[in-house]
Amino acid sequence: MSLALKVQKFIHYGNEFPFYVDGAVRLTIPDNLLKADEAKVLTRSECVQVLDVIKKAVVRVKSLARIDETLVLVVFILRHLADPDLRSLVYEALCEILTNFNDLTLFLMYRSRLGVPSPPPSTTTTTTNDDAGANGENTPSKTHFSSGLKSFLQKWYDKQTLEQLTEMIGEHRKLNGWRHRDIVSLAHIKFADAAKKKVIDVAFQRGSKFVADSTGNEDETVQKLVDICRVRMSEDPTEVSELVSKHKLRFEHLPSALYKTPEIWEKCLPVLSYSALLNCLHILQDLNLLTPQQGLAKKVGFAIGNPKTLKEAKLHPFKLYTELQLYENNERYTENVHEQHRAKKVAKLKITPNKEIVKKLRTAFEQSFDHYPATGARLIITLDNRHAMYTKKVLSKNVSKHISCFEASLIIALTYLKRERDVKILTYTDDEGTDGGIEVLPLQKSMSFEDALQFCKTRQRDKTLSSLELPWNFAKTKGMKADVFMTITDSIIRNAPLAKPPTQAISAYKKAVNMSNVRHVLIGLANPKRTFETLGPEEGRILEVAGFTSNTAKVVDEFIKGTL
């Protein structure tokens, strides 16, 4: 397998093999991907190929690439590359890869964390050549920037427009341990544009001084930053409401002292993206602003039920279902530690979910099946409709504990059924019979999720036959053609106890239907462990997934389309 292909897998799956689990960040580069000695002697051709893979992944589908693993890999390459020209090539690519301030500070954070620790700034203000490494690049430090890094940071800030720079300064003073003032000072960044210089000066002074020094004749963009600083200092709801409305400011700009003011939230609602609205929903609930008596509650309900913004968001139904379960069960966090602390406050204030908002969320969830983008593939999806699937919970710290494995598997299946042109849904049975332990599950596109769930419960079994070969054999016997087979269960190892893929069954199916490039997606919703160590002749055509989130759905879709 080429280095470029290994890198593609690593930055999408978080592994150098086809196994994906959302959540955990891998901070080490596996030896079978790239060793330190290999990184030192990378050729220009290899560097270009690797950087092209990263740029395509980040630019084409930003949310698909795992930005943490991507930046860890870039830092690893920069630390070990011996050729200064190749390091310059990497920095040029970083200007495209790092699209916002969060990405930039993540890169700097990993550069400091993964290098040789530098002495504390309080005791060491300069860095000797010995501390900086042979070329000033190989031992990153937060008190020293190499010439290559300085040049890159100058280009990165120059690339930002005045509007982008204003947005970054106004939204975040500090991210991932880094502030604009730290970066600008250490890199000695110079701004030729007077307006940009005035904006960046905000990072070096208190907002109150910036507001006091403003003349009122500033550039429109600079004036926006002045007003953002004024909003954060203000305790006057009327003034803040006017400025929020004028500049279409978001939740991040609001002063915490006025969080409980409904009038300000009403001004923010029209400019919130649908994802941001879902996040703010839990904040408003904790502030007790969504009671039936509050006028804000009706406006929030209207925003949740807005079909236009829901359609534009293209959220996976699983994301909506997670938010629905959290809100309906009067929860905010998916992690128990945070939720236990919050639960005490909720009990004390006697906060309860607004039934009208629950209805709006449920309606939005049902409608989201029609808006999620299609892949254009023909699929055969096999579900495990046994009793244990209704009691086991989905593996992930980002998923509500109230979502069962079968609910998740049904949402996945319905998402494809409702948006693809040719989808057949099968289920395991407890009788080998004439069809060999498999039967068609006659779900209809017109079914709602609740109707489909009740229908499946009537066909639930205590135990089922379990083998990855059964769907392939059934499809071969029935003459079913598909581009992708998908098996969804709680644990893949249960269906493959010998930890081997169904190679013979796949080969027999391909020969019977005269198809060569059929892919297989295996989703184990409750087991975090990888099942297959080797895939043999099916290498590149099998993807194993542990748990499920909306991020998982994007990776699976790209694999189905053949881009991964």
Side-chain angles (χ1 to χ4, degrees):
M1 187 185 299
S2 68
L3 175 60
L5 189 56
K6 289 180 182 179
V7 168
Q8 185 185 46
K9 291 183 183 299
F10 182 74
I11 65 176
H12 287 95
Y13 302 148
N15 297 292
E16 68 280 15
F17 39 78
F19 174 70
Y20 180 85
V21 54
D22 187 28
V25 177
R26 186 166 185 175
L27 297 181
T28 57
I29 302 301
D31 285 343
N32 54 355
L33 171 62
L34 187 64
K35 296 179 181 178
D37 291 340
E38 295 171 341
K40 290 178 182 178
V41 294
L42 282 175
T43 65
R44 185 177 186 86
S45 175
E46 289 173 326
C47 273
V48 169
Q49 289 177 7
V50 168
L51 294 174
D52 281 347
V53 167
I54 294 174
K55 285 191 289 186
K56 285 178 182 178
V58 172
V59 173
R60 186 170 58 86
V61 188
K62 177 67 168 68
S63 59
L64 183 63
R66 297 168 68 109
I67 192 65
D68 292 275
E69 282 83 353
T70 300
L71 296 181
V72 168
L73 177 60
V74 171
V75 168
F76 180 83
I77 292 174
L78 280 172
R79 283 187 59 204
H80 296 289
L81 268 180
D83 189 336
D85 291 336
L86 294 185
R87 288 202 304 275
S88 298
L89 195 67
V90 175
Y91 277 128
E92 286 178 18
L94 271 177
C95 281
E96 297 180 50
I97 295 169
L98 306 181
T99 58
N100 53 54
F101 187 57
N102 180 62
D103 293 349
L104 177 67
T105 55
L106 268 179
F107 166 70
L108 294 174
M109 181 187 76
Y110 287 134
R111 180 184 176 276
S112 298
R113 182 185 296 181
L114 302 179
V116 176
S118 57
S122 59
T123 58
T124 302
T125 57
T126 60
T127 306
T128 65
N129 289 335
D130 290 336
D131 291 331
N135 50 39
E137 185 70 54
N138 296 354
T139 56
S141 161
K142 194 170 179 177
T143 58
H144 170 80
F145 280 176
S146 67
S147 58
L149 180 58
K150 289 177 182 177
S151 176
F152 153 68
L153 289 170
Q154 179 71 61
K155 291 177 182 177
W156 191 88
Y157 273 95
D158 286 343
K159 182 182 176 182
Q160 309 306 311
T161 65
L162 179 61
E163 291 75 15
Q164 290 172 328
L165 198 59
T166 301
E167 196 66 28
M168 285 191 295
I169 298 287
E171 189 170 337
H172 298 294
R173 285 295 185 99
K174 184 176 182 180
L175 272 177
N176 303 308
W178 285 89
R179 298 174 296 179
H180 287 285
R181 62 183 296 177
D182 299 330
I183 301 169
V184 171
S185 297
L186 289 170
H188 306 297
I189 295 173
K190 307 296 181 185
F191 293 92
D193 186 289
K196 279 190 176 181
K197 188 176 187 307
K198 188 172 181 63
V199 166
I200 207 68
D201 282 346
V202 179
F204 288 85
Q205 59 185 311
R206 296 181 65 87
S208 56
K209 186 176 187 304
F210 181 64
V211 171
D213 292 345
S214 65
T215 62
N217 298 319
E218 283 85 0
D219 178 277
E220 182 181 349
T221 307
V222 177
Q223 185 59 45
K224 179 179 178 179
L225 186 56
V226 172
D227 288 341
I228 288 174
C229 292
R230 185 176 285 117
V231 163
R232 285 181 167 159
M233 296 185 301
S234 178
E235 295 184 0
D236 181 0
T238 303
E239 180 188 28
V240 172
S241 296
E242 290 175 355
L243 293 175
V244 166
S245 182
K246 176 182 177 181
H247 297 293
K248 297 182 179 179
L249 302 183
R250 301 188 304 276
F251 160 71
E252 292 84 1
H253 300 125
L254 298 182
S256 56
L258 297 179
Y259 275 1
K260 293 186 178 183
T261 308
E263 294 79 13
I264 296 177
W265 283 100
E266 289 176 9
K267 298 293 184 181
C268 279
L269 284 179
V271 298
L272 288 176
S273 67
Y274 204 89
S275 295
L277 175 63
L278 293 176
N279 292 334
C280 288
L281 177 66
H282 302 292
I283 297 173
L284 291 169
Q285 177 72 359
D286 283 358
L287 294 172
N288 209 17
L289 294 177
L290 296 180
T291 60
Q293 296 78 24
Q294 293 271 6
L296 179 62
K298 292 182 179 180
K299 295 184 178 181
V300 169
F302 177 80
I304 292 172
N306 188 332
K308 182 181 178 181
T309 54
L310 177 62
K311 184 177 181 180
E312 291 172 350
K314 293 181 172 58
L315 296 177
H316 194 279
F318 193 78
K319 169 69 174 176
L320 272 297
Y321 195 67
T322 299
E323 300 300 332
L324 169 63
Q325 290 300 313
L326 285 173
Y327 185 79
E328 190 172 22
N329 289 282
N330 207 13
E331 296 177 353
R332 176 176 175 180
Y333 303 104
T334 54
E335 297 183 65
N336 286 333
V337 175
H338 297 304
E339 189 55 42
Q340 287 174 359
H341 177 73
R342 172 188 170 273
K344 297 176 183 178
K345 174 185 174 182
V346 171
K348 185 177 180 179
L349 296 177
K350 298 181 180 179
I351 298 174
T352 57
N354 186 316
K355 293 182 180 179
E356 288 302 315
I357 290 181
V358 171
K359 288 181 182 179
K360 293 287 186 180
L361 282 171
R362 195 171 295 281
T363 301
F365 162 63
E366 294 288 356
Q367 291 175 345
S368 65
F369 285 101
D370 300 324
H371 304 319
Y372 197 68
T375 64
R378 296 170 296 177
L379 292 98
I380 293 177
I381 303 174
T382 306
L383 306 182
D384 191 353
N385 192 18
R386 75 183 199 280
H387 175 72
M389 288 284 288
Y390 290 82
T391 56
K392 287 188 178 181
K393 304 304 177 183
V394 178
L395 165 78
S396 179
K397 65 179 183 179
N398 299 316
V399 175
S400 170
K401 62 185 178 183
H402 301 285
I403 301 178
S404 71
C405 285
F406 190 79
E407 287 175 325
S409 64
L410 185 59
I411 291 171
I412 299 167
L414 285 177
T415 303
Y416 289 107
L417 178 66
K418 289 175 178 283
R419 65 185 167 125
E420 305 293 354
R421 56 190 173 91
D422 186 2
V423 176
K424 297 176 179 64
I425 300 181
L426 313 177
T427 183
Y428 290 110
T429 70
D430 54 5
D431 180 18
E432 292 190 21
T434 55
D435 290 330
I438 288 284
E439 68 178 10
V440 174
L441 189 61
L443 298 175
Q444 303 298 319
K445 289 188 176 184
S446 58
M447 283 183 171
S448 68
F449 171 75
E450 290 299 328
D451 291 341
L453 183 61
Q454 294 306 316
F455 175 78
C456 291
K457 284 182 177 179
T458 63
R459 305 170 76 95
Q460 180 187 157
R461 289 175 166 82
D462 291 332
K463 295 181 180 180
T464 57
L465 297 173
S466 55
S467 172
L468 296 179
E469 297 180 353
L470 297 183
W472 295 92
N473 294 337
F474 181 83
K476 182 187 72 172
T477 303
K478 301 295 182 181
M480 296 177 176
K481 285 193 173 184
D483 304 306
V484 178
F485 278 67
M486 182 180 293
T487 303
I488 312 174
T489 184
D490 55 338
S491 176
I492 299 301
I493 195 66
R494 178 178 182 273
N495 294 42
L498 298 180
K500 294 182 179 180
T503 307
Q504 292 182 347
I506 295 174
S507 299
Y509 172 79
K510 289 179 180 178
K511 185 176 181 180
V513 299
N514 194 27
M515 295 177 67
S516 59
N517 190 24
V518 183
R519 298 191 161 215
H520 196 184
V521 179
L522 303 162
I523 303 178
L525 293 168
N527 190 345
K529 295 182 180 179
R530 181 186 175 202
T531 302
F532 307 121
E533 292 298 325
T534 59
L535 297 175
E538 291 305 313
E539 179 72 41
R541 289 191 289 269
I542 292 181
L543 172 63
E544 187 180 353
V545 174
F548 195 83
T549 66
S550 55
N551 289 333
T552 308
K554 295 175 185 177
V555 172
V556 170
D557 283 356
E558 291 300 311
F559 178 80
I560 287 174
K561 290 187 285 189
T563 54
L564 291 183

